Amino acid sequence: MAGQTDTGTAGVIARPPLLFLAAFLIGFVLDRLLRLPFPIPRNDLVIWITGGSLILVGFALFAAGIRNFSRAATPVPTNEPTRVLVTTGIHGWTRNPIYLGMFLIYGGIGVAAQNIWILVLTLPLAILVRYGVVAREEAYLERRFGGAYLDYRQRVRRWL
């Protein structure tokens, strides 16, 4: 872990939880207005096991990422300056465990709710998070931590 004194922020387009919440709301509204058939044959047990598994794995990744930030005494919210470059624990496997967890939870809820619109909205949401949040965070971390971040970026994948 490396620390600096810069107090800037990443300047993301919106707080990521709000982006996921907006996608959920849009997905549920679209499902009410224009219901599409779910592509998997109706088998409640398979759907609940699949959706539940995605949600559980997502929560585990999300919690591990939050715990890592908490242990490093650096804030999680994107509108606060990062105090420390966290590179250990789950962040040694993926640079974005919190967002990855959020996507798995999002997809798991879409499957469990059998809401095709939530799943369809995953692609635009992923593009929005990738370019409106992650790219800005990466540029910020490179400015803030320089070579330490560049080394980390070369060793650890963005997602998996």
Side-chain angles (χ1 to χ4, degrees):
M1 295 185 209
Q4 295 291 325
T5 58
D6 178 61
T7 58
T9 63
V12 300
I13 60 167
R15 302 268 315 270
L18 297 178
L19 296 174
F20 281 89
L21 178 60
F24 272 126
L25 294 175
I26 292 168
F28 282 116
V29 167
L30 286 172
D31 191 56
R32 296 290 275 182
L33 296 175
L34 182 60
R35 187 155 185 86
L36 295 175
F38 199 70
I40 299 172
R42 184 149 182 102
N43 182 333
D44 287 341
L45 182 61
V46 170
I47 287 171
W48 279 103
I49 288 173
T50 303
S53 296
L54 289 170
I55 292 167
L56 287 174
V57 171
F59 269 121
L61 284 169
F62 181 86
I66 297 291
R67 185 177 57 243
N68 253 11
F69 275 40
S70 178
R71 285 181 178 161
T74 196
V76 173
T78 55
N79 59 345
E80 295 182 34
T82 301
R83 294 186 193 113
V84 176
L85 179 61
V86 180
T87 62
T88 59
I90 192 68
H91 286 88
W93 293 86
T94 172
R95 296 195 315 255
N96 296 291
I98 297 169
Y99 300 148
L100 185 56
M102 291 169 90
F103 273 110
L104 290 172
I105 294 166
Y106 178 86
I109 292 171
V111 170
Q114 297 179 30
N115 184 323
I116 194 68
W117 285 108
I118 287 177
L119 299 178
V120 166
L121 289 171
T122 302
L123 180 59
L125 177 61
I127 292 168
L128 193 59
V129 168
R130 166 62 182 91
Y131 293 100
V133 177
V134 173
R136 292 171 185 223
E137 287 179 346
E138 290 175 341
Y140 165 70
L141 292 172
E142 185 176 339
R143 286 190 312 273
R144 183 150 168 75
F145 298 105
Y149 176 72
L150 292 174
D151 177 58
Y152 173 62
R153 191 174 75 183
Q154 286 181 350
R155 289 184 294 109
V156 179
R157 293 176 185 256
R158 180 178 289 132
W159 299 110
L160 289 175

Short mmCIF file of all heavy atoms in Angstrom, two decimals, residues 7 13 27-28 39 45-47 66-67 71 99 104 112 116 122 134 137 142 148-149:
data_model
loop_
_atom_site.label_atom_id
_atom_site.label_comp_id
_atom_site.label_asym_id
_atom_site.label_seq_id
_atom_site.Cartn_x
_atom_site.Cartn_y
_atom_site.Cartn_z
N THR A 7 -5.32 15.68 -2.65
CA THR A 7 -6.68 15.55 -2.13
C THR A 7 -7.73 15.56 -3.23
O THR A 7 -8.92 15.69 -2.93
CB THR A 7 -6.98 16.68 -1.13
OG1 THR A 7 -6.80 17.94 -1.80
CG2 THR A 7 -6.11 16.58 0.10
N ILE A 13 -18.74 10.15 -13.22
CA ILE A 13 -19.97 10.77 -13.69
C ILE A 13 -21.11 10.70 -12.67
O ILE A 13 -21.99 11.55 -12.66
CB ILE A 13 -20.43 10.17 -15.04
CG1 ILE A 13 -20.69 8.68 -14.89
CG2 ILE A 13 -19.45 10.45 -16.13
CD1 ILE A 13 -21.42 8.08 -16.07
N GLY A 27 -35.09 -1.10 -15.41
CA GLY A 27 -35.40 -2.48 -15.75
C GLY A 27 -36.76 -2.92 -15.23
O GLY A 27 -37.53 -3.57 -15.95
N PHE A 28 -37.08 -2.55 -13.99
CA PHE A 28 -38.38 -2.94 -13.43
C PHE A 28 -39.53 -2.19 -14.11
O PHE A 28 -40.58 -2.76 -14.37
CB PHE A 28 -38.40 -2.74 -11.92
CG PHE A 28 -37.69 -3.84 -11.18
CD1 PHE A 28 -36.56 -3.58 -10.43
CD2 PHE A 28 -38.15 -5.16 -11.24
CE1 PHE A 28 -35.89 -4.60 -9.75
CE2 PHE A 28 -37.49 -6.19 -10.58
CZ PHE A 28 -36.36 -5.91 -9.83
N PRO A 39 -35.70 -16.09 -21.18
CA PRO A 39 -35.22 -17.10 -22.12
C PRO A 39 -34.96 -18.49 -21.53
O PRO A 39 -34.77 -19.44 -22.27
CB PRO A 39 -33.92 -16.49 -22.66
CG PRO A 39 -33.45 -15.57 -21.58
CD PRO A 39 -34.71 -15.04 -20.92
N LEU A 45 -36.49 -23.67 -9.17
CA LEU A 45 -35.33 -24.10 -8.41
C LEU A 45 -34.03 -23.69 -9.10
O LEU A 45 -33.14 -23.12 -8.47
CB LEU A 45 -35.36 -25.62 -8.18
CG LEU A 45 -34.21 -26.17 -7.34
CD1 LEU A 45 -34.23 -25.54 -5.93
CD2 LEU A 45 -34.30 -27.68 -7.25
N VAL A 46 -33.92 -23.94 -10.39
CA VAL A 46 -32.71 -23.58 -11.14
C VAL A 46 -32.53 -22.07 -11.15
O VAL A 46 -31.42 -21.55 -10.95
CB VAL A 46 -32.77 -24.14 -12.58
CG1 VAL A 46 -31.64 -23.58 -13.43
CG2 VAL A 46 -32.72 -25.66 -12.56
N ILE A 47 -33.61 -21.35 -11.37
CA ILE A 47 -33.53 -19.88 -11.42
C ILE A 47 -33.10 -19.33 -10.07
O ILE A 47 -32.23 -18.46 -10.00
CB ILE A 47 -34.87 -19.30 -11.89
CG1 ILE A 47 -35.03 -19.57 -13.40
CG2 ILE A 47 -34.97 -17.80 -11.60
CD1 ILE A 47 -36.38 -19.26 -13.95
N ILE A 66 -14.84 -3.80 0.34
CA ILE A 66 -15.13 -2.78 1.36
C ILE A 66 -14.22 -2.99 2.59
O ILE A 66 -13.66 -2.03 3.13
CB ILE A 66 -16.61 -2.83 1.78
CG1 ILE A 66 -17.54 -2.51 0.60
CG2 ILE A 66 -16.89 -1.91 2.98
CD1 ILE A 66 -17.52 -1.09 0.13
N ARG A 67 -14.09 -4.24 3.00
CA ARG A 67 -13.25 -4.56 4.17
C ARG A 67 -11.80 -4.14 3.91
O ARG A 67 -11.15 -3.57 4.79
CB ARG A 67 -13.33 -6.05 4.50
CG ARG A 67 -12.58 -6.44 5.76
CD ARG A 67 -12.71 -7.91 6.12
NE ARG A 67 -12.29 -8.77 5.05
CZ ARG A 67 -13.08 -9.63 4.40
NH1 ARG A 67 -14.34 -9.75 4.73
NH2 ARG A 67 -12.61 -10.38 3.43
N ARG A 71 -9.83 -1.48 6.21
CA ARG A 71 -8.56 -1.82 6.88
C ARG A 71 -7.44 -0.86 6.52
O ARG A 71 -6.56 -0.59 7.33
CB ARG A 71 -8.15 -3.25 6.54
CG ARG A 71 -8.97 -4.29 7.25
CD ARG A 71 -8.49 -5.67 6.89
NE ARG A 71 -9.26 -6.68 7.60
CZ ARG A 71 -9.34 -7.94 7.24
NH1 ARG A 71 -8.68 -8.38 6.16
NH2 ARG A 71 -10.07 -8.78 7.93
N TYR A 99 -17.08 -3.23 -7.68
CA TYR A 99 -17.92 -3.12 -8.87
C TYR A 99 -18.26 -4.49 -9.44
O TYR A 99 -19.39 -4.73 -9.88
CB TYR A 99 -17.25 -2.26 -9.96
CG TYR A 99 -16.96 -0.86 -9.52
CD1 TYR A 99 -15.86 -0.17 -10.01
CD2 TYR A 99 -17.76 -0.20 -8.59
CE1 TYR A 99 -15.58 1.12 -9.60
CE2 TYR A 99 -17.49 1.08 -8.18
CZ TYR A 99 -16.40 1.74 -8.70
OH TYR A 99 -16.12 3.02 -8.29
N LEU A 104 -22.42 -8.73 -10.20
CA LEU A 104 -22.93 -10.08 -9.93
C LEU A 104 -24.25 -10.01 -9.15
O LEU A 104 -25.19 -10.78 -9.44
CB LEU A 104 -21.90 -10.91 -9.17
CG LEU A 104 -20.67 -11.31 -9.99
CD1 LEU A 104 -19.62 -11.96 -9.10
CD2 LEU A 104 -21.05 -12.21 -11.14
N ALA A 112 -33.05 -13.95 -10.70
CA ALA A 112 -34.03 -14.38 -9.69
C ALA A 112 -35.41 -13.77 -9.96
O ALA A 112 -36.43 -14.43 -9.77
CB ALA A 112 -33.54 -14.01 -8.29
N ILE A 116 -35.86 -9.87 -17.88
CA ILE A 116 -34.94 -9.80 -19.02
C ILE A 116 -34.42 -8.38 -19.22
O ILE A 116 -33.28 -8.19 -19.65
CB ILE A 116 -35.61 -10.36 -20.30
CG1 ILE A 116 -34.57 -10.60 -21.39
CG2 ILE A 116 -36.68 -9.44 -20.82
CD1 ILE A 116 -33.63 -11.71 -21.09
N THR A 122 -27.61 -4.66 -18.57
CA THR A 122 -26.26 -4.91 -18.05
C THR A 122 -25.20 -4.34 -18.99
O THR A 122 -24.21 -3.75 -18.53
CB THR A 122 -26.03 -6.41 -17.83
OG1 THR A 122 -27.00 -6.91 -16.94
CG2 THR A 122 -24.65 -6.68 -17.25
N VAL A 134 -14.76 3.77 -13.94
CA VAL A 134 -13.47 3.08 -13.83
C VAL A 134 -12.35 3.81 -14.57
O VAL A 134 -11.26 3.99 -14.02
CB VAL A 134 -13.60 1.60 -14.30
CG1 VAL A 134 -12.24 0.92 -14.33
CG2 VAL A 134 -14.56 0.84 -13.38
N GLU A 137 -11.40 6.77 -12.56
CA GLU A 137 -10.68 6.36 -11.35
C GLU A 137 -9.26 5.93 -11.67
O GLU A 137 -8.32 6.27 -10.94
CB GLU A 137 -11.41 5.21 -10.66
CG GLU A 137 -12.69 5.64 -9.97
CD GLU A 137 -13.42 4.49 -9.30
OE1 GLU A 137 -13.09 3.32 -9.59
OE2 GLU A 137 -14.31 4.77 -8.50
N GLU A 142 -3.54 6.95 -11.29
CA GLU A 142 -2.23 7.11 -11.94
C GLU A 142 -1.63 8.47 -11.59
O GLU A 142 -0.43 8.57 -11.30
CB GLU A 142 -2.37 6.95 -13.45
CG GLU A 142 -1.05 6.98 -14.16
CD GLU A 142 -1.17 6.71 -15.66
OE1 GLU A 142 -2.17 6.13 -16.10
OE2 GLU A 142 -0.22 7.10 -16.38
N ALA A 148 3.65 3.48 -8.59
CA ALA A 148 3.08 2.41 -7.76
C ALA A 148 1.78 1.90 -8.38
O ALA A 148 1.53 0.70 -8.43
CB ALA A 148 2.83 2.91 -6.34
N TYR A 149 0.95 2.83 -8.89
CA TYR A 149 -0.30 2.41 -9.52
C TYR A 149 -0.02 1.72 -10.86
O TYR A 149 -0.64 0.70 -11.18
CB TYR A 149 -1.27 3.58 -9.73
CG TYR A 149 -2.50 3.12 -10.46
CD1 TYR A 149 -3.45 2.33 -9.82
CD2 TYR A 149 -2.70 3.40 -11.81
CE1 TYR A 149 -4.56 1.85 -10.48
CE2 TYR A 149 -3.80 2.93 -12.48
CZ TYR A 149 -4.73 2.16 -11.81
OH TYR A 149 -5.83 1.67 -12.48
#
